[in-house]
Amino acid sequence: YGAAALVATERATESSVVLPVAAAFMALCNSACQISQNHCADLAAHLLHYRIDAPPDPSASFAKAKAKASIGMGYMLLNNATSQPLQQAMVTVNWQRPDSIFEVEIVKPTPVRVHPNAVQYTPILDQPFYPKLTSIKGALPAIQARYNQPNVTPPPYILGNLSINVALRTTKTATTGANPFDQVGPTSQAIQGEEEFGLAVFALDGYVNKPQEVLQVPVYHSKTKAPMGSIVIQLSIQVDPSATVDVPPISTSKDGLVSLVGLDTLMETSGAAPPIDYELPDASTYGSNQALQRRQAQLSTMGLFYTHPYMHQHFTQVRLPDARLLQQKAHAYSVALVADPETIVPSYEERAPSSFRPSSSRQAPLVASIPFNVHIQSLGLSKLPNGDPVGTFHNITCGAPADHARGFAEIYQGGPSGGLRRLEQKRLELQQQVADAQTHLILGVSNYFVTSRQTNPHIYHVPAHHSELMHLRWKVFQAIQNLHTVTWHCAMRRTNVFSQALGIAMSSLLASLSDVHKVGQKWPDLWVRHGYLVSYEGLLSAAGKELGMIEDASVGIAMLRMCSVQLIGDDGNGDAPQTPTKTRVVIPHSPHLKWLQMEATGCGSKTQYKVTIGVDRAFYASNVPEPLRNGKMVRFYPLLFQVGVDIRQWGANTGMKASLQLKDNVASVAKAVRPDEVCGSTGNVENEFEDEDMSGIEDNDVLIALNYEALRKMNVYAHAISPLPTGAAGQGHPQLSGEELAVHPVLSSLHAHIVGSAGKMNHGILDEAAQVAQKLGGGGVVFCKSGKDRTAMHVTFKQAQYVHSYLRRVLKNPRDAVDITEDANRMRVYGTR
C-alpha cells in the first residue's frame, strides 16, 4: 500500500491454562463431593433406622436406639354371636409412630379364626418389627402435651402404639394385600366394605423387657364403641437397658457439591424432612409469616418425606459412582500437570487428560471437565519494510462447553431431558409441584381429622389403609425425590460445564492481557471497575443434541459471573497446602505463568470463585498493567450470542416461518371475534402453537431469548463503559425494559439484527456482536459442536473482516464484501484453519 506492505501472521496456539483450571476446580469438586457422599451415607443410615421392618444395624453407633419386637397372631374371641355365620376375621396391625401422624402397617390383612370361647393359643404368624426409640421432645405435639403436665415424669423414651383393625366377615376368599414394606403408599384395602369393624389400640411401652405372654386385647366397635370381644396375641419387646434416644446428627452438607456449583436445592423452606444437601434454615428465615410457620408445623408432624430405598439407590448407584469419578478426575488431572505422557499417540486418539482435548473424546467421562479444541487464534498485522506491528486480532476457538459424556436423554423414566438451561427450569417446576402436593396433603389430613374427631376427639393418626391420604402422601414423596434427583444431576453437570467455560474464559482474558494494543488503550483499568467482557459466539442449531449443548453452554457461561481473577507475583510456593475450599496447581507449559489457585466462598447461589495466578516476578514487574497489580481483581462479564448455522437450523427456521404464518392467520380470526384476548398480549392463541421443548425437537425460541439476554447485558455494560451525555437520545425497546436503559448507540445495528432475527439464520448478529465486543475492550470466543469446521470458517471470516477494518480505518482503503470473502478463502487454504 503505497511504499509499504502489510503482512498478516496467523497462529493457532493451544491454551496452556485449560488443564490447570480443570485440575484446580476438580480438586474443589472432589473435596465437596466427599462431603456430599458422607452426608448421603448418613442419610441412608438414618432412614434405615427409621424403618420399622429393618433390624438394628450392629455397626451403627445408634443401634441400641431401636427395639426388637415381635407380635404373634392367635384368634378372635367374640363376645356375642351374630346373625351371620362368622368363621373368620381379617386382622391388620399398624404401628402408630410417636413422631408422625401416619400409621405404618406391620401385619398385612390376615385371616384369623373366630371363637365364642377361649381356646388354646396357636400362633398363625409371628411378625418381627423394630420400632425406634423416640424422645418426648421428638414426639407429636399432642403426645408432648400429655407428658408436659404437672407431676408427670416423662419417660426416657416412648415406642408408640399398636393399632389392631378387625373386620368381621362371613366366609370369603381372603385378600392378602401387598408387601407392607415395599413403599410408603397404601398396602391394602382388604378390610374396607365389611359389615362390622373393630379397633384395638394399646401402648407398647408397658411391655418393654417383660416376659413374653399371651394377651387378650379388647376390641371395640368402630362406630358404636361397644365391646366386640378380644384379639388374642403374643407380644415381645426387648430394649437394651443402656439404650438412649440419642442418635448422632446427620453429617453436614455445608460446602457440599450442590452448594459449591452455585445451586440452591429449592427445598430450604419446604419443611420436608430430613434436609438433604442443605442446612436447615434459621427460624428467623420465616420471620413473622404466620401462614408459613403454621405450614412448617403441620409438615413437621408428617414424618420423613424420603424413603430409604430411594436414598440407598441414589447413594449406591448415583452419588458413590459420581464421587469416585470426581476423585479420579482430580487425581488424573493433577498427575497430568507434572508427568510426561508414557506413550505418544495421535492427538485425535488422546483420551488421557492433557492441555489439548480432541473432539473425538466427547463421550469420555474422565476428560469431560476439560474443554476441547481450545486454541488462541491470532492474526498479527505488521507493516514492511520495518516490520512494525500495527494491530492484533485474537479469538478463542473451541468446542461447545457442554457435558457430552452425560448426554441429553431423560434423567429418569418419564423425567426431564436436555441441557442445563432446560433442566434448571424443570427444577423450578418441580419445586412448585412439591409445594402443590404438600398443600393437597395438608388439606386432606386436616379434613380427615375434622371429620373423624366429630365421633372420636382422641384420634391423632391417619390409618395406614386410608388410600386417598396415602396416595396424596406418596405424591409428595415422588415430587421431592424427583426434585432431588434433578438437582444432583444439574450439580454434576455444572462441574463439567463450568470447568470448560472457565478454562475458555481464562484463555481469553490472558490473551487480551498479551495484546499490547489493548493494554495500551487503558482497557485493564475498565476491566477492574466493570469486569472483563467475554463474548461467546455460538454456531449451534437449536435442534436435537445441539439444543442440549446450547442449554449447557448458556448456564456454564452465565456462571462466570461468579468468578474473579487476580494476578500476583510468584511467591515460590507452587505446592501450597490444599484445603476443601482452596486448591493450587502448577501451570507447566507457560514460560510466564507459574501456578493457579482457586478458592470458593459463600453458599449455594451466593457462591463466589476467586482464581489467583502466580506470574513470574520479572514478567509481572515488566508486563502486568499497573491497574491489575496490588491484589486488584477482575471479574468476568460473560455474554452468549447464538445463531444456528447448519442445515438442521435452516429446516427449523423454515418450519418456524410456516408456524408463524399459521399463528398470524389464527390470530387475525380471533381478533375479529374477541379482540380483547389478542390485542396487547400473547393470549392463549399463540400458546397453542408453541414448539414442544423435547430432545430431538427444534426450539428456536431459545436462540431469540439468549440473544435478547445478551443484548440487555451488553447494553448495560456499554452504558457503564461509555455513559451517554445527559439527555442523549437512545432507541428504546420493550425487551430491554428490565434495565430501564435505552439502547446504546454502539449497539443500534446489533439491536436491529436481533429484532429481525425471528425465523432467520441471521449471521449478522454474530458479526455485530463481535465488533461491539471489540469496541468495548472485550474478548471473543467462537464455538460450535466440535470447534472445527463451522468455527474455523467463522473465525477466518472474522480475521478477514479485521483486515478490512484496518485498511478502511487506517489506510483509507475500503474493500467490498467480495474482497473480504476472497481473503477469508485464502486463509482457509493457506492458513492454520
Side-chain angles (χ1 to χ4, degrees):
Y1 301 97
L6 193 65
V7 177
T9 305
E10 185 183 10
R11 292 185 177 89
T13 309
E14 291 180 10
S15 171
S16 62
V17 297
V18 293
L19 181 57
V21 166
F25 188 57
M26 283 304 103
L28 290 181
C29 291
N30 178 43
S31 297
C33 198
Q34 293 304 313
I35 294 173
S36 295
Q37 176 184 333
N38 295 336
H39 173 68
C40 188
D42 273 5
L43 280 167
H46 278 70
L47 288 171
L48 183 63
H49 177 68
Y50 198 80
R51 291 182 61 160
I52 195 167
D53 66 315
D57 181 0
S59 64
S61 59
F62 45 83
K64 293 182 179 181
K66 214 171 186 183
K68 298 179 180 179
S70 65
I71 181 171
M73 193 64 61
Y75 61 93
M76 175 72 181
L77 180 60
L78 201 62
N79 283 355
N80 301 302
T82 67
S83 58
Q84 299 286 345
L86 295 170
Q87 297 181 11
Q88 64 181 15
M90 292 296 292
V91 177
T92 305
V93 181
N94 301 317
W95 178 39
Q96 293 184 344
R97 307 184 64 103
D99 56 359
S100 171
I101 61 174
F102 290 103
E103 292 183 351
V104 181
E105 191 173 77
I106 296 177
V107 178
K108 62 187 177 181
T110 301
V112 299
R113 301 291 295 181
V114 177
H115 295 281
N117 301 302
V119 297
Q120 183 178 359
Y121 173 79
T122 304
I124 59 174
L125 64 82
D126 188 13
Q127 177 67 56
F129 63 102
Y130 309 92
K132 75 180 189 69
L133 312 186
T134 302
S135 67
I136 301 301
K137 183 179 178 180
L140 294 170
I143 298 176
Q144 293 185 37
R146 189 185 310 157
Y147 288 101
N148 289 337
Q149 301 293 329
N151 302 322
V152 175
T153 302
Y157 59 82
I158 53 178
L159 294 176
N161 304 328
L162 283 190
S163 169
I164 303 177
N165 296 267
V166 179
L168 292 177
R169 57 166 60 203
T170 56
T171 304
K172 293 181 181 179
T173 301
T175 303
T176 58
N179 186 327
F181 305 120
D182 276 348
Q183 60 180 26
V184 176
T187 56
S188 174
Q189 300 180 37
I191 67 172
Q192 292 186 3
E194 301 295 339
E195 293 182 351
E196 294 189 63
F197 297 96
L199 178 66
V201 178
F202 64 97
L204 295 173
D205 305 302
Y207 300 93
V208 173
N209 295 334
K210 296 290 182 67
Q212 189 177 36
E213 59 180 324
V214 177
L215 306 175
Q216 290 187 9
V217 183
V219 177
Y220 297 91
H221 198 283
S222 297
K223 292 183 179 180
T224 66
K225 312 306 178 189
M228 294 178 64
S230 303
I231 187 75
V232 181
I233 64 171
Q234 194 172 50
L235 185 65
S236 171
I237 303 174
Q238 300 299 317
V239 177
D240 191 300
S242 63
T244 66
V245 297
D246 296 329
V247 176
I250 297 171
S251 61
T252 181
S253 62
K254 187 176 183 295
D255 298 325
L257 187 69
V258 175
S259 175
L260 174 71
V261 297
L263 283 175
D264 296 323
T265 65
L266 305 184
M267 293 293 295
E268 285 79 0
T269 59
S270 68
I276 297 185
D277 292 324
Y278 67 90
E279 300 296 298
L280 281 173
D282 188 83
S284 61
T285 303
Y286 309 120
S288 59
N289 190 331
Q290 295 184 355
L292 184 57
Q293 292 175 1
R294 178 178 174 81
R295 181 184 180 90
Q296 302 299 313
Q298 291 170 322
L299 290 170
S300 68
T301 66
M302 297 184 183
L304 304 184
F305 286 96
Y306 292 85
T307 64
H308 172 260
Y310 167 79
M311 192 54 60
H312 178 72
Q313 181 271 340
H314 173 78
F315 175 72
T316 57
Q317 299 183 29
V318 179
R319 190 160 298 201
L320 195 57
D322 285 343
R324 288 171 179 165
L325 177 60
L326 288 175
Q327 188 175 39
Q328 291 172 2
K329 289 199 288 188
H331 175 72
Y333 293 5
S334 62
V335 169
L337 291 173
V338 297
D340 293 328
E342 297 180 359
T343 58
I344 304 299
V345 298
S347 60
Y348 61 86
E349 294 180 358
E350 184 63 73
R351 295 296 180 272
S354 67
S355 293
F356 176 76
R357 178 189 171 196
S359 58
S360 56
S361 68
R362 280 195 298 270
Q363 303 301 325
L366 183 62
V367 292
S369 300
I370 305 172
F372 47 84
N373 279 345
V374 180
H375 292 88
I376 297 93
Q377 181 74 22
S378 62
L379 184 76
L381 297 181
S382 303
K383 206 173 183 180
L384 294 181
N386 297 327
D388 297 331
V390 295
T392 303
F393 167 89
H394 59 78
N395 261 201
I396 307 301
T397 63
C398 56
D403 194 349
H404 301 270
R406 285 188 172 262
F408 306 98
E410 290 180 348
I411 298 176
Y412 52 86
Q413 186 175 5
S417 61
L420 278 169
R421 184 181 177 95
R422 195 183 336 170
L423 294 176
E424 294 188 3
Q425 177 60 41
K426 184 63 177 180
R427 285 208 317 135
L428 298 177
E429 297 174 11
L430 288 171
Q431 180 190 27
Q432 187 60 49
Q433 289 180 22
V434 170
D436 292 344
Q438 288 178 326
T439 299
H440 294 154
L441 178 60
I442 290 172
L443 292 175
V445 168
S446 299
N447 291 336
Y448 168 77
F449 281 134
V450 168
T451 303
S452 300
R453 287 172 181 171
Q454 291 177 358
T455 56
N456 184 355
H458 302 294
I459 289 180
Y460 301 106
H461 287 81
V462 176
H465 62 264
H466 197 298
S467 59
E468 181 182 355
L469 290 181
M470 291 301 175
H471 176 72
L472 290 176
R473 189 183 183 210
W474 185 242
K475 296 291 286 186
V476 177
F477 275 73
Q478 288 181 315
I480 290 176
Q481 291 173 176
N482 287 345
L483 175 56
H484 176 256
T485 298
V486 176
T487 297
W488 181 259
H489 181 90
C490 287
M492 283 299 298
R493 204 171 190 95
R494 279 187 170 215
T495 63
N496 290 329
V497 173
F498 175 65
S499 178
Q500 295 181 41
L502 180 58
I504 295 165
M506 290 291 298
S507 301
S508 177
L509 174 60
L510 295 172
S512 291
L513 285 172
S514 67
D515 186 341
V516 294
H517 301 283
K518 188 170 287 188
V519 171
Q521 295 173 2
K522 310 300 183 184
W523 284 112
D525 180 58
L526 293 173
W527 296 342
V528 171
R529 286 191 282 154
H530 304 292
Y532 172 71
L533 186 146
V534 53
S535 178
Y536 286 74
E537 302 160 32
L539 302 166
L540 299 169
S541 62
K545 291 184 178 180
E546 291 199 1
L547 173 59
M549 298 174 203
I550 294 173
E551 293 164 341
D552 269 357
S554 66
V555 173
I557 292 168
M559 288 178 67
L560 293 172
R561 293 292 296 269
M562 303 157 60
C563 187
S564 299
V565 181
Q566 180 185 54
L567 302 177
I568 66 172
D570 178 23
D571 57 10
N573 190 17
D575 296 325
Q578 311 285 327
T579 70
T581 57
K582 181 187 295 186
T583 183
R584 179 178 289 193
V585 298
V586 298
I587 303 177
H589 303 300
S590 171
H592 308 304
L593 309 180
K594 298 302 181 181
W595 49 262
L596 180 149
Q597 179 175 284
M598 191 169 183
E599 57 186 297
T601 58
C603 179
S605 56
K606 294 181 175 60
T607 298
Q608 295 290 315
Y609 306 109
K610 177 184 174 183
V611 178
T612 303
I613 298 180
V615 184
D616 176 81
R617 285 189 172 276
F619 187 84
Y620 181 88
S622 60
N623 292 82
V624 173
E626 185 63 33
L628 300 184
R629 301 183 187 183
N630 303 317
K632 296 291 182 61
M633 291 193 293
V634 176
R635 70 181 188 275
F636 287 112
Y637 196 96
L639 306 172
L640 171 60
F641 292 94
Q642 248 296 148
V643 175
V645 183
D646 69 354
I647 189 64
R648 296 193 67 177
Q649 187 63 55
W650 173 86
N653 289 335
T654 301
M656 182 180 181
K657 289 177 182 178
S659 177
L660 288 173
Q661 184 177 2
L662 183 56
K663 288 182 186 180
D664 290 340
N665 293 340
V666 174
S668 298
V669 175
K671 186 174 182 179
V673 179
R674 300 183 66 183
D676 57 310
E677 292 190 1
V678 180
C679 183
S681 67
T682 57
N684 294 326
V685 176
E686 289 192 8
N687 291 338
E688 295 179 4
F689 295 90
E690 288 180 357
D691 294 325
E692 290 184 331
D693 191 9
M694 299 168 57
S695 181
I697 303 299
E698 66 272 5
D699 180 18
N700 293 285
D701 290 344
V702 72
L703 300 186
I704 298 172
L706 287 173
N707 289 332
Y708 270 116
E709 289 173 14
L711 178 63
R712 292 189 196 99
K713 295 174 184 176
M714 182 175 272
N715 190 49
V716 173
Y717 191 85
H719 278 279
I721 291 289
S722 179
L724 295 179
T726 303
Q731 182 181 2
H733 193 275
Q735 293 279 2
L736 299 174
S737 60
E739 280 79 22
E740 299 296 335
L741 289 174
V743 176
H744 196 284
V746 75
L747 278 77
S748 57
S749 181
L750 174 60
H751 171 256
H753 279 290
I754 292 177
V755 169
S757 63
K760 298 178 182 178
M761 202 153 47
N762 190 341
H763 197 275
I765 292 175
L766 300 185
D767 291 340
E768 290 294 334
Q771 293 179 31
V772 173
Q774 190 174 21
K775 291 177 183 178
L776 297 176
V781 176
V782 180
F783 70 88
C784 60
K785 178 179 179 179
S786 303
K788 295 185 293 187
D789 299 332
R790 281 173 282 180
T791 297
M793 288 187 286
H794 183 66
V795 77
T796 49
F797 186 72
K798 288 180 69 175
Q799 290 177 164
Q801 287 179 313
Y802 175 77
V803 173
H804 164 74
S805 174
Y806 176 82
L807 294 175
R808 183 184 70 249
R809 185 179 69 256
V810 178
L811 301 182
K812 311 300 181 184
N813 183 6
R815 312 187 77 200
D816 58 25
V818 174
D819 295 326
I820 297 174
T821 303
E822 289 179 353
D823 287 345
N825 289 338
R826 291 190 187 96
M827 293 180 191
R828 289 284 288 158
V829 174
Y830 302 107
T832 61
R833 307 304 291 264

